[in-house]
Amino acid sequence: MKRSALISLLIAASVLIAWPGSALAKVYLDILSPFATRLPIAVPAFKNTGSQPDTENIAAKMAAVIRQDLDLSGFFRVLDASAVSSDPASSGTTVDTIKWDSWTIIGAEALVTGGISVNGSELVAELRLFDAVQRQSIVGKRYFGRAEDARLIAHKFSNEIFKNLAGEQSVFETRIAFEKRSQGTKEISIMDFDGAHAETITEMNSICLSPAWSPDGKKIAFTSYADGNPDLYIKDLASGKTERVSHKKGVNITPAWSPDGRRIALTLSLNNGNSEIYALDVATRDLERLTDDPANDVSPTWSPAGDAIAFVSSRSGSPQIFLLELAGKKVRRITFEGSYNTSPDWSPKGNKIVYAGQQGGTFNIFVINTDGTLFQQLTHNQGRNEDPSWSPDGRFITFSSNRSGKNEIYIMRSDGTGQKKISGGAGEKTNPAWSPFLK
Amino acid sequence: MKRCYTQVLLAVVLVCFLAATGACTKKAVKKDSGLGEETAAQGMKKPGEEGLEEARSGGPKWNDPTPEMAAYFKDISFEYDRVTLSPEAKESLNKLGEWLLKKTSVQVLVEGHCDERGTAEYNLALGERRAHAAKQYLTQLGVNADRISTLSYGKERPIDPGHTEAAWSKNRRDHFLYR
């Protein structure tokens, strides 16, 4: 029975969380359990409650965005609501007007309703989340915005749903930066995590590479050949200002911000062609050398605590992933499978590193514990998969793949399920970097 | 710190002393305050020191070799993920070196390139090393190191867009420009 299923889920959760009695502490989704079942949720098309016609079909589009978000999270089973309410106008959106039996009969344990009104370019959306078993409200929000903010508002409420049911925020308001090639140039672009609102943020008319978000999400570091040498630049997203921060002889490449945002680890080759990793103090421009080996060292990524970096080195002959503890300068190799492992990204929770490994003639995405155990392959037999980057909650990974015939940006859950192309349009897209939480 | 984008040779002297082993013993490298020391930079390098020099900005454009120069400015090729100079590559560099020793006013840019198979970021490091392999060889022939610049494009600029061994082998190259 549906009701008993939800109740047992609640009991399990309250035992785990140990906050019985408080309505606010109800945890509907036990996101820590590997055996969690997907919560059945219905998100019927929203109602137009205003006096103006919804010519852009915003009500239906917003509900579709929320459905997509919840499905992507992997914690929900989004029910087909069309059987229940082919006419959204006839079904209610509040506790008293909702026809509860019709939702119980399809097995919904949670329900999202929405009413919107459009007035010229203005949009008001009243969005609600209900416990469909207890038939009570969990959270409701009224949003004011412009019609073009409809997706944004829907993502905000998806985050609200996730926070209320799972106890933490999800990625629905995050963005992804990437390289986009067009004709002879490559510029840096940003899009929403689901591929919407893509925009090019650099106009260097040159090759731009390796976008890296500052931890506060306000700046992006990248390499550009705009001045004839691969130099390091920082773009301030609010002011639009671009500043060059490293212009050494040789390469100034593969930036990674330290977790406190004060330093950028990068690769310099200086006079001798030997790539080493340095930490650049963003304010003073002082440099500290971090690696010291005659082989290539490149592509650093910081541990979330800022006390170590992982990087690629060819010191054992072929490129492999190594860890460097900054205090003791102790280096240890962590990848031993395969002969070409690159592009490491340290997980936000600190225990895993995702990377791209060459396999036969192609590349796949792998994840490994930082102690070198639990090596796991996430992509299989689908083109060339590279440049993985964690979402800020550690539940997703973005990567580039040419499985569709050209390089596009994909996202997947951190266990490799739910792989989905999110970019589109002209041009090859590579090297995605998932933003931190932006609010 | 203000950056100067004009077409001036910028060289800030940032020197880190190396121990006899070649290890960098001084961790924090002090940043010099600014401009005006560019002429000093070239002469101050001593063996065993590592210069943290600024790259050159602007300057005259690098040109593809003229038809008369083409015999000396030949691309040299590399094995996959390797930076070793083949006997054929050395032969080409011998010709270029001889020519450069006669034409002392000519500067050379060595572009290091890779094929599409490796990882883009790692290939930038590899391309830089390929460019330096040629620079080092030319220097050993007696060409002044200051006349030779290097630039890595990694796999960003293939000359053959194909996905065959023939295309890859053309793309794994050092390409030479002059000014």
Side-chain angles (χ1 to χ4, degrees), chain A residues 19-230:
Chain A
W19 282 346
S22 159
L24 286 174
K26 266 187 190 171
V27 174
Y28 292 79
L29 294 171
D30 179 11
I31 53 178
L32 300 177
S33 162
F35 311 111
T37 50
R38 290 171 167 232
L39 184 74
I41 190 167
V43 190
F46 295 165
K47 274 177 81 166
N48 180 12
T49 55
S51 52
Q52 306 291 315
D54 176 15
T55 50
E56 304 275 313
N57 219 2
I58 290 173
K61 282 180 192 163
M62 286 180 77
V65 167
I66 293 178
R67 264 182 236 129
Q68 227 172 59
D69 285 351
L70 298 179
D71 179 61
L72 177 83
S73 77
F75 293 107
F76 294 92
R77 187 156 56 84
V78 181
L79 302 170
D80 180 9
S82 58
V84 174
S85 59
S86 52
D87 177 18
S90 70
S91 59
T93 62
T94 59
V95 172
D96 298 336
T97 57
I98 290 168
K99 294 170 181 159
W100 287 108
D101 288 341
S102 55
W103 297 114
T104 322
I105 211 158
I106 63 162
E109 294 180 23
L111 172 69
V112 177
T113 69
I116 64 135
S117 66
V118 187
N119 193 351
S121 65
E122 278 170 32
L123 168 68
V124 180
E126 283 185 15
L127 309 182
R128 294 183 169 86
L129 169 66
F130 299 96
D131 179 333
V133 178
Q134 302 293 326
R135 301 185 174 182
Q136 63 191 25
S137 167
I138 297 171
V139 65
K141 294 261 174 183
R142 183 181 293 126
Y143 297 94
F144 301 90
R146 296 162 304 166
E148 64 259 39
D149 296 331
R151 287 189 75 90
L152 196 86
I153 293 170
H155 285 313
K156 274 188 182 300
F157 197 67
S158 292
N159 223 358
E160 208 59 55
I161 294 168
F162 200 80
K163 266 189 269 184
N164 276 276
L165 298 183
E168 67 174 50
Q169 67 169 323
S170 189
V171 297
F172 307 131
E173 294 174 72
T174 58
R175 308 197 81 194
I176 291 172
F178 57 101
E179 308 162 349
K180 184 174 159 192
R181 185 184 285 282
S182 60
Q183 274 107 43
T185 68
K186 244 184 192 181
E187 302 280 357
I188 307 298
S189 288
I190 306 185
M191 61 189 168
D192 291 352
F193 84 100
D194 61 356
H197 298 135
E199 53 181 330
T200 303
I201 60 152
T202 57
E203 286 176 352
M204 307 295 273
N205 199 20
S206 174
I207 297 172
C208 298
L209 303 168
S210 306
W213 293 86
S214 62
D216 62 5
K218 291 179 176 164
K219 292 174 180 155
I220 288 185
F222 62 96
T223 288
S224 174
Y225 287 73
D227 195 31
N229 194 62

Side-chain angles (χ1 to χ4, degrees), chain A residues 257-260 263 290 301-310 323-330 332 346 350 370:
Chain A
W257 296 77
S258 63
D260 64 8
R263 302 204 289 172
L290 301 182
T301 173
W302 295 82
S303 69
D307 58 353
I309 58 164
L323 293 195
L324 165 67
E325 288 166 31
L326 296 178
K329 295 255 160 169
K330 255 187 16 211
R332 80 188 145 86
W346 206 310
T370 50

Side-chain angles (χ1 to χ4, degrees), chain B residues 50-115:
Chain B
E50 177 187 58
L52 278 172
E53 286 160 51
E54 300 289 300
R56 294 171 194 199
S57 286
K61 255 189 63 144
W62 294 103
N63 303 295
D64 271 318
T66 60
E68 303 84 72
M69 291 159 66
Y72 309 102
F73 283 65
K74 271 192 170 154
D75 283 7
I76 60 172
S77 50
F78 294 86
E79 296 297 308
Y80 176 64
D81 198 27
R82 290 287 171 266
V83 298
T84 323
L85 296 172
S86 66
E88 297 79 35
K90 286 180 181 170
E91 209 171 297
S92 297
L93 291 172
N94 286 339
K95 280 190 194 156
L96 177 60
E98 253 177 72
W99 188 86
L100 285 170
L101 287 171
K102 284 182 226 148
K103 311 271 183 179
T104 51
S105 64
V106 175
Q107 294 183 334
V108 183
L109 173 67
V110 191
E111 287 181 358
H113 296 268
C114 308
D115 73 35

